[in-house]
Every structure is written in C-alpha cells, then in structure tokens.
Amino acid sequence: MSARSWIAPVAARLRTANPYAVDSALAALVLFAVSLQWIFPDEGDDRLTWQGWLIGAATAVPLVWRRRAPFATAWAVSVATPVQAVYHAPPPDVMYGGMVVLYTMATLGKPWQRRVMLFGWLVGVSLTMLHKEDPQPFEYAFHLLSVVCAYGLGVLARVQRAYTAELEDRARRLERERAADTARAIAQERSRIARDMHDVLAHAVSLMVVQAEAGPVVVRSDPARAEAAFDAIAAAGRDAMAQLRRILGVLKDQRNNGGSWRLPQPGVADLPGLVRQVGESADLRVELRTSGTPRPLPPDTEVAAFRVVQEALTNTVKHAQAGSATVELDWTENELTLTVTDDGSGPVGGPGGHGLIGIRERAAACGGSARAGRGPGGGFQVLVRLPATVDRQAALG
C-alpha cells in the first residue's frame, strides 16, 4: 500500500473528528515527547524533576485549546518554552510545543498575530542560544530552521484551506446556478407546452364553432353542406385530440425515461395541410404563397413558424369576419418573413388580444419580431420575421 493511499483517508478522518479529542491527543503526544528527554537523560544530565516536568507540561497542555484560542495558547507555550530551555534540567532538543503553536498561528491566526509570534520565536531562539554556555552553530541553525519550517507548513495549510473553501463555494454557486437554470428551463418548457395546447385547442374549437353555427342553418335547405359541416367538426376534433395525445403522451414517456422535455412538433412543411384544413372547415378561402428558396430551419423556428400561422388564422376565423385570407412565406438569405392577411372588417384590436401576445412571444423566443395592424386592402395583417439560420444537421439529412 502506497503512502498516498492511506494518508488521504487518515487526514480526512482527522478533519471530521472531534477537535477536542484530536487536540487532546496531540497535547498528550507532545507531553510524552518532552518527558522522554528527562526520563532518559543523556550521560551527565540530571534526571527529570517534578518542577521540570511541570514546565514541560506547560508547553503541552495548552495545546488542547489551540484551535479555540490560538493566540492565547501560543502565548502560554511561548512563555513556558524559554523557561524550560534555561531550567537546570536538560533543555529540549526539539521545541515540540513551539512548533505546534507556530503551525497553528500560521494557519488560524490573524495577520498581525502571525507576524508577532514569528518574530518573537526567532528572537527567543536567538536569545536562548546565547544563554547557553557553549552554543553550537549547527544547533542554532537547527532550532531556527525548525521555527521557519513549522511556520511555513502552517502557511501552506492556510493557503490550501482557503483554496479548498473557494472551490467548495464555487461548487455551491455552480450547483445553485445549475438548479436555477434547470428550474427556468422547466418553467419555459411548461409555458411552451401551455402555449401549444392553447393554440391547438383554440384553433380546433374555433373551427368547430364556425361549423356548428353554420350547420343548423343549412341542415334542411342543403343537407350535403350540413353533413360537410359536421364532418369538418369531427375532423377538427380528431386532429385536436391527436395533437393533444401526442403532446401529453410523449411528455409522459420522456418524464418516465428521464429524457428531454422537447417534443415532436409541426413545422413549415405542415403549413399546406393547415391552410387546407382551415379552408375546408371554416368556409374561408385561404391561399398559401411562397417566394424564395425554402430550406431546413432549427426545430424551434420551425415550430414558431407553424404556430404563428395557426394562431393568425385562428384569430381571422374568430374575429375578422373575413371571406378570404392569404399566407405568404418570403424566404431570404437570413430571414423568413411570414405574412397573414385577411379581408375582414373586424376591429384592429379584435384579432389581437392573447393571440397576438402569443405570436409575439413565439417570434421573440426565436430572435424574431412580430407586428400587426391594417393591411393594404383594409383587412387585418400579421407580419412576423424569423431568423432563417440553416439547421445543418437537417440539411445533411
């Protein structure tokens, strides 16, 4: 087993362990290390006395509170360590408690506290070595290097902790943004589905109402026309049911499968069928004209084009009191212009309302625009411009 494979789990467990338990164990370990030098002194040194042991304990016991009160703990150990070094008992070879508090201050201390503590320990080590009878350069360098290394490790730990906290904060922000994006996407998709259902139902019901009103008038005088009206009502109902079943059925399947909420929708290629259905069902002469070169469009633009024409024709049937309507598709290099014009005499505001709002919303969702008003012949006209960016995938087949 490599060192990395077991160090990482141990470090993670220590970070999540009870701080008092970890610091108490660290204080006991430091006290044990300090006591060894007096318990097993070198030849010619004195044995451990109870005074010496108490001074050694004063450099270890405060470490229990090193993370609760780092600066106070550092002061306590910093005062006890020089006393230990000049005591008649053998001075410590390694300043265990001092190295721990320097690491702690470099990790948790405030900037001014870190500077004061580092400067104090460097000066303290120098004065302590001068107090010795025969200081060795190597020993002096060793103690100074111990102070600097302990402080440097604390700085690295502080930087790593700050970097980890920044990464975690960034991950939380990204998660919140992702959740917000998902909620917005779901809300937009629900709104789109609601608009689709509104368009389907409004279109079908409008055609059914027109035929239902015309049927009783001709049921005795022209039975064939009355029969055609009832057939048109049935056809409009079946078409609406088919579209609603497709929307709800596919939505249910994709929810269960965890897939996308995007649903198969009609497009520009379905406009001739729409025009034919309105002409047959609403007793309205509808003509479809195309100029330019048709080409594949992105799915959203395809759906928007179909729904815009559907809503405009539905408004014509419901409000315009028109006898004919014209649907024009003008393809240019970068744009598809849809124009729906009728010869009705209804008020300009009549064909607007929620239907016109829906047309504008659909056009804006694709980066297009829509306007409505009186047409050249006095009827009502809806003009929509949609970006005609080529759908490369569809174009390649």
Side-chain angles (χ1 to χ4, degrees), residues 76-375:
V77 175
S78 299
V79 170
T81 300
V83 176
Q84 179 190 14
V86 300
Y87 188 66
H88 66 83
D93 292 333
V94 180
M95 297 174 294
Y96 299 104
M99 294 175 65
V100 173
V101 295
L102 280 170
Y103 173 87
T104 302
M105 286 305 303
T107 305
L108 304 176
K110 299 177 180 178
W112 69 270
Q113 294 175 345
R114 297 197 297 265
R115 289 192 290 268
V116 168
M117 199 55 57
L118 178 61
F119 177 78
W121 273 88
L122 292 175
V123 173
V125 168
S126 300
L127 294 178
T128 301
M129 295 306 299
L130 291 176
H131 181 269
K132 296 187 67 173
E133 297 180 357
D134 186 21
Q136 300 295 322
F138 174 78
E139 186 179 4
Y140 181 46
F142 172 77
H143 286 296
L144 284 180
L145 187 61
S146 299
V147 170
V148 173
C149 287
Y151 188 86
L153 289 174
V155 171
L156 291 177
R158 184 180 74 249
V159 172
Q160 182 184 20
R161 188 174 63 176
Y163 179 70
T164 302
E166 181 181 357
L167 290 180
E168 292 175 350
D169 183 63
R170 187 180 303 174
R172 285 192 294 269
R173 288 200 306 270
L174 290 175
E175 186 64 28
R176 288 195 296 268
E177 292 174 0
R178 189 178 298 110
D181 291 342
T182 301
R184 280 195 297 270
I186 292 175
Q188 291 173 357
E189 196 64 23
R190 285 175 175 170
S191 177
R192 186 185 68 82
I193 292 172
R195 286 199 304 270
D196 288 346
M197 294 182 68
H198 165 269
D199 292 347
V200 170
L201 291 175
H203 178 73
V205 170
S206 297
L207 298 181
M208 293 167 70
V209 168
V210 169
Q211 294 297 332
E213 291 176 344
V217 176
V218 297
V219 68
R220 292 185 177 85
S221 61
D222 192 349
R225 186 176 177 185
E227 184 179 354
F230 294 137
D231 289 341
I233 292 174
R238 284 193 297 268
D239 180 68
M241 288 298 296
Q243 292 195 55
L244 291 176
R245 189 178 297 111
R246 180 176 61 178
I247 292 175
L248 299 177
V250 175
L251 177 59
K252 179 180 178 181
D253 291 342
Q254 295 198 2
R255 271 181 169 176
N256 293 337
N257 296 331
S260 169
W261 283 49
R262 303 304 298 175
L263 308 176
Q265 297 289 343
V268 175
D270 299 291
L271 287 178
L274 174 66
V275 168
R276 184 171 55 254
Q277 180 195 37
V278 173
E280 294 175 352
S281 301
D283 196 18
L284 180 71
R285 297 187 305 276
V286 186
E287 183 181 359
L288 177 62
R289 301 174 183 172
T290 303
S291 60
T293 305
R295 55 188 179 277
L297 297 176
D300 288 344
T301 308
E302 290 273 355
V303 175
F306 182 88
R307 295 302 183 192
V308 161
V309 174
Q310 184 183 53
E311 185 64 28
L313 291 177
T314 300
N315 287 337
T316 297
V317 171
K318 292 170 62 177
H319 306 290
Q321 303 171 16
S324 65
T326 303
V327 179
E328 298 178 76
L329 279 66
D330 182 18
W331 295 86
T332 61
E333 183 178 356
N334 300 316
E335 192 174 65
L336 169 61
T337 302
L338 297 166
T339 307
V340 181
T341 308
D342 61 55
D343 61 355
S345 58
V348 173
H354 292 292
L356 183 56
I357 292 174
I359 290 175
R360 288 172 176 162
E361 288 179 350
R362 288 190 179 278
C366 298
S369 62
R371 65 178 178 85
R374 288 296 182 189

Side-chain angles (χ1 to χ4, degrees), residues 6-56:
W6 65 268
I7 289 178
V10 171
R13 182 168 298 181
L14 288 176
R15 283 195 296 268
T16 58
N18 188 303
Y20 273 115
V22 175
D23 292 343
S24 298
L26 178 62
L29 182 62
V30 170
L31 180 59
F32 175 74
V34 170
S35 302
L36 282 177
Q37 189 172 349
W38 280 298
I39 297 174
F40 305 103
D42 294 333
E43 186 176 353
D45 289 335
D46 296 332
R47 286 276 181 178
L48 173 66
T49 64
W50 66 270
Q51 297 96 333
W53 188 87
L54 287 178
I55 295 174

